[in-house]
Amino acid sequence: MCPKPLPESEVVTASAPAKVILCGEHAVVYNRPAIAVPVSGLRVTVQLRRNQGGERGLRLISGDLERYLLLTAPEKQSITDALEMTVRLVLDALQRPLPDMTATIESQIPVASGLGSGAAVSAALGRALSAALGSPLNNPALNAIVYEVEKIHHGTPSGIDNTVIVYEQPVFFVRGRSIETFTIAVPFTLLIADTGLGALTKVAVGDVRRLYETAPERIQPVLSAIGDLVVQARSAIEGGDLPRLGALMTQNHAYLRHLTVSSAELDRLVEAALAAGALGAKLSGGGRGGNMIALVTSESEPSVRAALNDAGARHVYKTTVG
Ligand code: MEV
């Protein structure tokens, strides 16, 4: 089938959500399972249109990310820019030349905050570009591209972020295995609180790697305990046992502290949420800064939200899972 080119007047729009890791981050890099859920209320949206007035090249514009990029030249030998890498991989997959188009990227997801901003930008851009070229990529093909781009952000990503973001559904993820989802017996609500401190996942993942290599006898049992906890968390979700899920999340935070990926700010928010009645709380994602999550009921939500704000959260988002 011959792909239909984008008419001059038409705009193609695509988007992708943020994510949080419910449990199992870092251990997932070492082949233990982890659970992640999309945050559909926080999104990256990309609009693509053909350039007006014969302008050449692909312009990528994002006020939110403070980025402006004009791609005109043939592919460079090594690409280190995530936006450019996304474009080149999509064009390679579709065997298409660089189009004369303009992409406007709007993101509601704070960067370097553990919410998957990088993967969401790649997913939305890849989706919009392939659609604008008349050959929308399916989820497995898009997921493979976003995973490649994730290596720029993360170094050695497990693949959980791109998977939950591209498929936009809760995932029980094991590195290298095909996507697995699960039943959510009782919908549950998370408050997501931002420390306001940017932290690079790549750095935290690298530090855990060094710890793993220098003291494997100390780190292996922690990784295995996290893996066991994730399996129990899945059972708690499937059985609708939210107090149990909360307790497991809080236990997971303690293990992440052993892995040195928490921080005073994250610990303060976790403690504040628990003291205010959250069923459980933990850092989410790479850690060190970024966001934490608290499992709340409709009764505890207002007090936990207030406690998080009092404890210094820059933003508190809410998401319901299931
Ligand atoms: C980041 O969201 C999750 C980590 O486990 C890294 C990864 O899985 O690639 C810290």
Side-chain angles (χ1 to χ4, degrees), residues 19 21 24-29 114 154 156-161 201 205 285-286:
K19 65 85 189 133
I21 308 271
E25 54 272 267
H26 286 288
V28 70
V29 174
H154 286 196
T156 54
S158 65
I160 190 169
D161 288 11
T201 300
V205 169

Side-chain angles (χ1 to χ4, degrees), residues 35 57 80 109-110 127 231 236 244 258 263-264 286 312 314 320:
I35 295 175
T80 52
I109 310 174
R127 212 167 250 155
V231 173
R244 175 89 187 117
H258 282 303
S263 66
R314 293 293 167 84
T320 298

Side-chain angles (χ1 to χ4, degrees), residues 28-280:
V28 70
V29 174
Y30 301 84
N31 304 316
R32 278 26 176 231
I35 295 175
V37 298
V39 180
S40 295
L42 272 182
R43 305 192 76 81
V44 173
T45 304
V46 175
Q47 290 199 326
L48 256 168
R49 68 188 79 224
R50 286 212 0 227
N51 290 341
Q52 309 292 309
E55 269 186 87
R56 304 311 303 267
L58 177 60
R59 275 189 300 165
L60 301 155
I61 304 168
S62 176
D64 300 318
L65 304 174
E66 297 179 4
R67 293 296 314 274
Y68 174 86
L69 203 64
L70 174 61
L71 306 180
T72 49
E75 190 168 340
K76 284 186 291 203
Q77 280 308 302
S78 65
I79 301 171
T80 52
D81 182 276
L83 294 179
E84 177 169 8
M85 172 90 116
T86 305
V87 168
R88 299 295 185 186
L89 290 175
V90 169
L91 296 178
D92 278 358
L94 300 179
Q95 307 252 293
R96 303 291 291 275
L98 197 65
D100 298 325
M101 290 185 186
T102 298
T104 310
I105 304 167
E106 285 178 5
S107 179
Q108 304 168 320
I109 310 174
V111 292
S113 71
L115 297 181
S117 149
V121 170
S122 300
L125 179 58
R127 212 167 250 155
L129 180 58
S130 60
L133 293 172
S135 307
L137 288 168
N138 63 19
N139 283 340
L142 183 63
N143 198 27
I145 287 175
V146 180
Y147 178 66
E148 283 308 306
V149 180
E150 279 288 278
K151 292 180 183 167
I152 292 181
H153 298 295
H154 286 196
T156 54
S158 65
I160 190 169
D161 288 11
N162 45 285
T163 302
V164 65
I165 283 169
V166 167
Y167 287 85
E168 199 165 350
Q169 58 182 358
V171 292
F172 178 86
F173 181 88
V174 182
R175 194 170 186 166
R177 280 208 217 149
S178 52
I179 177 170
E180 196 176 330
T181 191
F182 50 90
T183 312
I184 296 165
V186 177
F188 56 90
T189 298
L190 299 171
L191 291 181
I192 305 167
D194 195 343
T195 59
L197 299 172
L200 294 176
T201 300
K202 199 174 186 162
V203 174
V205 169
D207 288 350
V208 174
R209 171 68 60 192
R210 264 181 294 282
L211 208 58
Y212 178 81
E213 278 162 5
T214 50
E217 67 296 339
R218 196 153 58 82
I219 298 309
Q220 283 276 15
V222 179
L223 299 176
S224 297
I226 294 176
D228 292 347
L229 174 156
V230 170
V231 173
Q232 293 173 52
R234 177 179 174 162
S235 300
I237 296 169
E238 288 175 332
D241 188 348
L242 299 187
R244 175 89 187 117
L245 174 63
L248 290 164
M249 286 168 61
T250 306
Q251 179 62 52
N252 193 173
H253 184 73
Y255 288 136
L256 288 164
R257 293 188 64 197
H258 282 303
L259 297 181
T260 74
V261 294
S262 191
S263 66
E265 294 78 7
L266 284 163
D267 289 346
R268 189 163 57 239
L269 294 180
V270 166
E271 278 154 27
L274 293 172
L279 292 174

